[in-house]
Amino acid sequence: MKIDVVRPRDLGEPELSAWRQMRRASPHLASPWLAPEFAQAVSHVRDTARVAVIWEDTDLAGFLPFEPCGPRAARPLAAWLTLAQGLVHRPGFETDGSDLLKGCGLDVFEFEYLVGGQPWFTSDENRTAMLLDLESGYDGYIKFFRETSPKSYKTIAYKERKIQRDIGPLTYEYASNDHFGALLRWKSDQYRRIGRADRTAKPWVAALIERLRDVQTPEFSAPLSVLKIGDRPVAAHFGLVSEGVMAGWFPAYDPELGSYSPGLIHHLRLVEAAAARGLRHIDTGTAGDYKQTICNGTLPLSEGVARRPGAASALHWLRTAPARRIKRTIVGNPRLHALADRALKMRGRA
């Protein structure tokens, strides 16, 4: 096994074609977060972005996108944003995790949302992504929703009628060139309300979003879907699409119209449009209360740290292990998690 570490933006068409083919051959690698187009876009806005190109003799065998997070330590590319991470590889690929890290010039690789089929990385904790499974089409999804959450379905239908009666007719556009500014304002306001860091305020994230909006190819796209009343946007979503999968990223709605639940109305319109375009599922990220109601599928993920013996690995453990242990304790204890969430929301309102 031979490994070359390069910037994703420097990959040539043979490497990009092989990367796409590997994802196409393995459904668990279909997430847009693992697409070469995403890695290249990140590479154009973050000079630290790297990808390990793995060779077996003269054949390409895999690609591991990453960026440094300390001495001989790395995490997945744009890990702060992505909800699917890991090594993209050809079917049947086998390797040893220690050899893989050594070839990348690393002693540590930490991850939060590792996709399945990655035995070379040892995980510490299992996680679950919530999916909107569209294999049975829109009618199949609606049948599931009506049967499992009849009250929620009726409430959304009632509010859709009410908002149109009170304000005006709704229109929906799957891929719009307008109203992106409104989405970002709503999302920033939401982050403040819940006391979370505003991802969209980071200059490199804003630059990445703008670059992704310009990528519209058969292999990858980043549609902005908008629900409107006349020329007024009321809800929107910016996501990534590749290999029949949509990665939900930035959904938001006009808080002035929150009583009408425009976000949930938009959700059903998005599902209908995605199913009509042949998408297999929409990845909404890890669990949340409302996702338990609207989602009809799951995807296993894992969190952990892969290490090689050495001084850099030991220093990384000393620096990060206490914080990781505290985080797991809080997340695993419903009472502590609720208190932490309440504290963040109070800070956001301050």
Side-chain angles (χ1 to χ4, degrees), residues 50 71 97 101 116 201 207 209 214 222-223 245 254 275 290 297 300 309 320 336-337 339 342 344:
R50 296 292 185 272
L101 292 181
I209 290 171
D214 292 335
V245 175
D254 185 345
Y290 84 96
T320 63
L336 290 177
H337 188 269
L339 288 171
R342 188 184 309 162
L344 286 170

PDB file of all heavy atoms in Angstrom, residues 50 71 97 101 116 201 207 209 214 222-223 245 254 275 290 297 300 309 320 336-337 339 342 344:
ATOM      1  N   ARG A  50      -6.655  18.297   3.230  1.00  0.00           N
ATOM      2  CA  ARG A  50      -5.822  17.265   2.619  1.00  0.00           C
ATOM      3  C   ARG A  50      -6.666  16.031   2.301  1.00  0.00           C
ATOM      4  O   ARG A  50      -7.733  15.825   2.875  1.00  0.00           O
ATOM      5  CB  ARG A  50      -4.683  16.852   3.561  1.00  0.00           C
ATOM      6  CG  ARG A  50      -3.680  17.949   3.872  1.00  0.00           C
ATOM      7  CD  ARG A  50      -2.854  18.317   2.651  1.00  0.00           C
ATOM      8  NE  ARG A  50      -1.807  19.279   2.963  1.00  0.00           N
ATOM      9  CZ  ARG A  50      -1.975  20.599   2.932  1.00  0.00           C
ATOM     10  NH1 ARG A  50      -3.164  21.107   2.613  1.00  0.00           N
ATOM     11  NH2 ARG A  50      -0.974  21.412   3.211  1.00  0.00           N
ATOM     12  N   PRO A  71      -0.440  18.362  16.469  1.00  0.00           N
ATOM     13  CA  PRO A  71       0.758  17.657  15.998  1.00  0.00           C
ATOM     14  C   PRO A  71       0.448  16.200  15.650  1.00  0.00           C
ATOM     15  O   PRO A  71      -0.003  15.435  16.496  1.00  0.00           O
ATOM     16  CB  PRO A  71       1.712  17.754  17.195  1.00  0.00           C
ATOM     17  CG  PRO A  71       1.221  18.916  17.995  1.00  0.00           C
ATOM     18  CD  PRO A  71      -0.261  18.927  17.817  1.00  0.00           C
ATOM     19  N   GLY A  97      -5.468  -0.163  10.517  1.00  0.00           N
ATOM     20  CA  GLY A  97      -5.623   1.237  10.882  1.00  0.00           C
ATOM     21  C   GLY A  97      -4.309   1.919  11.199  1.00  0.00           C
ATOM     22  O   GLY A  97      -4.089   3.079  10.828  1.00  0.00           O
ATOM     23  N   LEU A 101      -2.790   5.219   9.211  1.00  0.00           N
ATOM     24  CA  LEU A 101      -2.395   6.478   9.843  1.00  0.00           C
ATOM     25  C   LEU A 101      -0.928   6.792   9.560  1.00  0.00           C
ATOM     26  O   LEU A 101      -0.575   7.944   9.260  1.00  0.00           O
ATOM     27  CB  LEU A 101      -2.637   6.414  11.351  1.00  0.00           C
ATOM     28  CG  LEU A 101      -4.094   6.364  11.813  1.00  0.00           C
ATOM     29  CD1 LEU A 101      -4.164   6.338  13.335  1.00  0.00           C
ATOM     30  CD2 LEU A 101      -4.886   7.540  11.279  1.00  0.00           C
ATOM     31  N   GLY A 116     -20.623   3.430   8.316  1.00  0.00           N
ATOM     32  CA  GLY A 116     -20.352   2.010   8.515  1.00  0.00           C
ATOM     33  C   GLY A 116     -19.316   1.476   7.535  1.00  0.00           C
ATOM     34  O   GLY A 116     -18.864   2.162   6.617  1.00  0.00           O
ATOM     35  N   ALA A 201     -21.641  32.202  10.382  1.00  0.00           N
ATOM     36  CA  ALA A 201     -20.897  33.444  10.613  1.00  0.00           C
ATOM     37  C   ALA A 201     -19.403  33.284  10.369  1.00  0.00           C
ATOM     38  O   ALA A 201     -18.682  34.279  10.262  1.00  0.00           O
ATOM     39  CB  ALA A 201     -21.138  33.942  12.041  1.00  0.00           C
ATOM     40  N   ALA A 207     -17.789  31.307   2.681  1.00  0.00           N
ATOM     41  CA  ALA A 207     -17.128  31.145   1.383  1.00  0.00           C
ATOM     42  C   ALA A 207     -17.387  29.754   0.807  1.00  0.00           C
ATOM     43  O   ALA A 207     -17.577  29.594  -0.410  1.00  0.00           O
ATOM     44  CB  ALA A 207     -15.625  31.385   1.530  1.00  0.00           C
ATOM     45  N   ILE A 209     -20.058  27.849   1.357  1.00  0.00           N
ATOM     46  CA  ILE A 209     -21.444  27.805   0.892  1.00  0.00           C
ATOM     47  C   ILE A 209     -21.566  28.448  -0.483  1.00  0.00           C
ATOM     48  O   ILE A 209     -22.217  27.906  -1.386  1.00  0.00           O
ATOM     49  CB  ILE A 209     -22.367  28.504   1.912  1.00  0.00           C
ATOM     50  CG1 ILE A 209     -22.476  27.662   3.194  1.00  0.00           C
ATOM     51  CG2 ILE A 209     -23.748  28.742   1.317  1.00  0.00           C
ATOM     52  CD1 ILE A 209     -23.183  28.369   4.331  1.00  0.00           C
ATOM     53  N   ASP A 214     -22.357  27.122  -6.565  1.00  0.00           N
ATOM     54  CA  ASP A 214     -21.995  27.192  -7.983  1.00  0.00           C
ATOM     55  C   ASP A 214     -21.756  25.815  -8.600  1.00  0.00           C
ATOM     56  O   ASP A 214     -21.537  25.713  -9.810  1.00  0.00           O
ATOM     57  CB  ASP A 214     -20.736  28.044  -8.161  1.00  0.00           C
ATOM     58  CG  ASP A 214     -20.985  29.517  -7.855  1.00  0.00           C
ATOM     59  OD1 ASP A 214     -22.144  29.954  -7.978  1.00  0.00           O
ATOM     60  OD2 ASP A 214     -20.028  30.216  -7.478  1.00  0.00           O
ATOM     61  N   ALA A 222     -26.222  21.510  -5.099  1.00  0.00           N
ATOM     62  CA  ALA A 222     -26.526  22.096  -3.787  1.00  0.00           C
ATOM     63  C   ALA A 222     -27.754  22.991  -3.924  1.00  0.00           C
ATOM     64  O   ALA A 222     -27.650  24.217  -3.989  1.00  0.00           O
ATOM     65  CB  ALA A 222     -25.326  22.887  -3.272  1.00  0.00           C
ATOM     66  N   PRO A 223     -28.947  22.391  -3.975  1.00  0.00           N
ATOM     67  CA  PRO A 223     -30.156  23.183  -4.204  1.00  0.00           C
ATOM     68  C   PRO A 223     -30.604  23.972  -2.973  1.00  0.00           C
ATOM     69  O   PRO A 223     -30.519  23.485  -1.843  1.00  0.00           O
ATOM     70  CB  PRO A 223     -31.202  22.123  -4.575  1.00  0.00           C
ATOM     71  CG  PRO A 223     -30.731  20.881  -3.887  1.00  0.00           C
ATOM     72  CD  PRO A 223     -29.232  20.946  -3.910  1.00  0.00           C
ATOM     73  N   VAL A 245     -28.716  10.800  -2.810  1.00  0.00           N
ATOM     74  CA  VAL A 245     -28.855  11.115  -1.389  1.00  0.00           C
ATOM     75  C   VAL A 245     -28.799  12.626  -1.201  1.00  0.00           C
ATOM     76  O   VAL A 245     -27.951  13.301  -1.794  1.00  0.00           O
ATOM     77  CB  VAL A 245     -27.740  10.449  -0.556  1.00  0.00           C
ATOM     78  CG1 VAL A 245     -27.816  10.890   0.908  1.00  0.00           C
ATOM     79  CG2 VAL A 245     -27.824   8.937  -0.663  1.00  0.00           C
ATOM     80  N   ASP A 254     -39.170  31.678   8.629  1.00  0.00           N
ATOM     81  CA  ASP A 254     -39.407  33.027   9.128  1.00  0.00           C
ATOM     82  C   ASP A 254     -40.031  32.932  10.521  1.00  0.00           C
ATOM     83  O   ASP A 254     -41.161  32.454  10.663  1.00  0.00           O
ATOM     84  CB  ASP A 254     -40.347  33.760   8.170  1.00  0.00           C
ATOM     85  CG  ASP A 254     -40.551  35.223   8.546  1.00  0.00           C
ATOM     86  OD1 ASP A 254     -40.207  35.604   9.688  1.00  0.00           O
ATOM     87  OD2 ASP A 254     -41.060  35.982   7.699  1.00  0.00           O
ATOM     88  N   ALA A 275     -38.490  13.061  -3.869  1.00  0.00           N
ATOM     89  CA  ALA A 275     -38.958  11.762  -4.358  1.00  0.00           C
ATOM     90  C   ALA A 275     -39.213  11.813  -5.861  1.00  0.00           C
ATOM     91  O   ALA A 275     -38.903  10.860  -6.590  1.00  0.00           O
ATOM     92  CB  ALA A 275     -40.223  11.349  -3.611  1.00  0.00           C
ATOM     93  N   TYR A 290     -38.161  16.314  17.085  1.00  0.00           N
ATOM     94  CA  TYR A 290     -39.078  16.388  15.949  1.00  0.00           C
ATOM     95  C   TYR A 290     -38.719  15.370  14.877  1.00  0.00           C
ATOM     96  O   TYR A 290     -39.589  14.901  14.132  1.00  0.00           O
ATOM     97  CB  TYR A 290     -39.098  17.806  15.372  1.00  0.00           C
ATOM     98  CG  TYR A 290     -37.989  18.114  14.397  1.00  0.00           C
ATOM     99  CD1 TYR A 290     -38.195  17.998  13.027  1.00  0.00           C
ATOM    100  CD2 TYR A 290     -36.730  18.518  14.842  1.00  0.00           C
ATOM    101  CE1 TYR A 290     -37.182  18.275  12.124  1.00  0.00           C
ATOM    102  CE2 TYR A 290     -35.718  18.795  13.949  1.00  0.00           C
ATOM    103  CZ  TYR A 290     -35.944  18.680  12.593  1.00  0.00           C
ATOM    104  OH  TYR A 290     -34.935  18.952  11.710  1.00  0.00           O
ATOM    105  N   GLY A 297     -36.423   6.191   8.870  1.00  0.00           N
ATOM    106  CA  GLY A 297     -35.262   5.336   8.675  1.00  0.00           C
ATOM    107  C   GLY A 297     -34.091   5.819   9.509  1.00  0.00           C
ATOM    108  O   GLY A 297     -34.096   6.944  10.025  1.00  0.00           O
ATOM    109  N   PRO A 300     -26.553   3.841  10.866  1.00  0.00           N
ATOM    110  CA  PRO A 300     -25.603   3.743  11.979  1.00  0.00           C
ATOM    111  C   PRO A 300     -24.336   4.550  11.721  1.00  0.00           C
ATOM    112  O   PRO A 300     -23.772   4.521  10.627  1.00  0.00           O
ATOM    113  CB  PRO A 300     -25.301   2.243  12.052  1.00  0.00           C
ATOM    114  CG  PRO A 300     -25.539   1.739  10.663  1.00  0.00           C
ATOM    115  CD  PRO A 300     -26.659   2.571  10.112  1.00  0.00           C
ATOM    116  N   PRO A 309       0.605   4.163  18.658  1.00  0.00           N
ATOM    117  CA  PRO A 309       1.445   4.430  19.831  1.00  0.00           C
ATOM    118  C   PRO A 309       2.499   5.488  19.511  1.00  0.00           C
ATOM    119  O   PRO A 309       3.069   5.506  18.421  1.00  0.00           O
ATOM    120  CB  PRO A 309       2.097   3.071  20.119  1.00  0.00           C
ATOM    121  CG  PRO A 309       1.213   2.068  19.460  1.00  0.00           C
ATOM    122  CD  PRO A 309       0.653   2.749  18.245  1.00  0.00           C
ATOM    123  N   THR A 320      -7.354  15.772  25.258  1.00  0.00           N
ATOM    124  CA  THR A 320      -8.753  15.660  24.836  1.00  0.00           C
ATOM    125  C   THR A 320      -9.599  14.687  25.646  1.00  0.00           C
ATOM    126  O   THR A 320     -10.821  14.823  25.684  1.00  0.00           O
ATOM    127  CB  THR A 320      -8.824  15.223  23.361  1.00  0.00           C
ATOM    128  OG1 THR A 320      -8.235  13.914  23.226  1.00  0.00           O
ATOM    129  CG2 THR A 320      -8.089  16.210  22.470  1.00  0.00           C
ATOM    130  N   LEU A 336     -28.803  15.750  33.001  1.00  0.00           N
ATOM    131  CA  LEU A 336     -27.682  16.655  32.756  1.00  0.00           C
ATOM    132  C   LEU A 336     -27.775  17.281  31.367  1.00  0.00           C
ATOM    133  O   LEU A 336     -27.474  18.464  31.181  1.00  0.00           O
ATOM    134  CB  LEU A 336     -26.355  15.901  32.902  1.00  0.00           C
ATOM    135  CG  LEU A 336     -25.959  15.479  34.310  1.00  0.00           C
ATOM    136  CD1 LEU A 336     -24.666  14.673  34.266  1.00  0.00           C
ATOM    137  CD2 LEU A 336     -25.786  16.705  35.209  1.00  0.00           C
ATOM    138  N   HIS A 337     -28.204  16.474  30.390  1.00  0.00           N
ATOM    139  CA  HIS A 337     -28.334  16.990  29.028  1.00  0.00           C
ATOM    140  C   HIS A 337     -29.382  18.095  28.970  1.00  0.00           C
ATOM    141  O   HIS A 337     -29.186  19.130  28.316  1.00  0.00           O
ATOM    142  CB  HIS A 337     -28.703  15.848  28.080  1.00  0.00           C
ATOM    143  CG  HIS A 337     -28.678  16.238  26.638  1.00  0.00           C
ATOM    144  ND1 HIS A 337     -29.787  16.722  25.977  1.00  0.00           N
ATOM    145  CD2 HIS A 337     -27.671  16.249  25.725  1.00  0.00           C
ATOM    146  CE1 HIS A 337     -29.475  16.991  24.728  1.00  0.00           C
ATOM    147  NE2 HIS A 337     -28.197  16.718  24.547  1.00  0.00           N
ATOM    148  N   LEU A 339     -30.325  20.070  31.448  1.00  0.00           N
ATOM    149  CA  LEU A 339     -29.794  21.249  32.134  1.00  0.00           C
ATOM    150  C   LEU A 339     -28.805  22.003  31.250  1.00  0.00           C
ATOM    151  O   LEU A 339     -28.822  23.239  31.188  1.00  0.00           O
ATOM    152  CB  LEU A 339     -29.117  20.830  33.440  1.00  0.00           C
ATOM    153  CG  LEU A 339     -30.047  20.369  34.572  1.00  0.00           C
ATOM    154  CD1 LEU A 339     -29.230  19.779  35.716  1.00  0.00           C
ATOM    155  CD2 LEU A 339     -30.897  21.539  35.065  1.00  0.00           C
ATOM    156  N   ARG A 342     -30.706  23.807  28.511  1.00  0.00           N
ATOM    157  CA  ARG A 342     -31.393  24.984  29.043  1.00  0.00           C
ATOM    158  C   ARG A 342     -30.410  26.131  29.267  1.00  0.00           C
ATOM    159  O   ARG A 342     -30.710  27.287  28.970  1.00  0.00           O
ATOM    160  CB  ARG A 342     -32.085  24.625  30.358  1.00  0.00           C
ATOM    161  CG  ARG A 342     -32.999  25.737  30.891  1.00  0.00           C
ATOM    162  CD  ARG A 342     -33.564  25.343  32.253  1.00  0.00           C
ATOM    163  NE  ARG A 342     -34.150  24.008  32.207  1.00  0.00           N
ATOM    164  CZ  ARG A 342     -34.389  23.283  33.293  1.00  0.00           C
ATOM    165  NH1 ARG A 342     -34.075  23.743  34.492  1.00  0.00           N
ATOM    166  NH2 ARG A 342     -34.940  22.093  33.176  1.00  0.00           N
ATOM    167  N   LEU A 344     -27.626  26.700  27.633  1.00  0.00           N
ATOM    168  CA  LEU A 344     -27.247  27.254  26.334  1.00  0.00           C
ATOM    169  C   LEU A 344     -28.336  28.177  25.793  1.00  0.00           C
ATOM    170  O   LEU A 344     -28.054  29.245  25.244  1.00  0.00           O
ATOM    171  CB  LEU A 344     -26.971  26.121  25.346  1.00  0.00           C
ATOM    172  CG  LEU A 344     -25.666  25.352  25.550  1.00  0.00           C
ATOM    173  CD1 LEU A 344     -25.639  24.115  24.662  1.00  0.00           C
ATOM    174  CD2 LEU A 344     -24.464  26.240  25.265  1.00  0.00           C
TER     175      LEU A 344
END
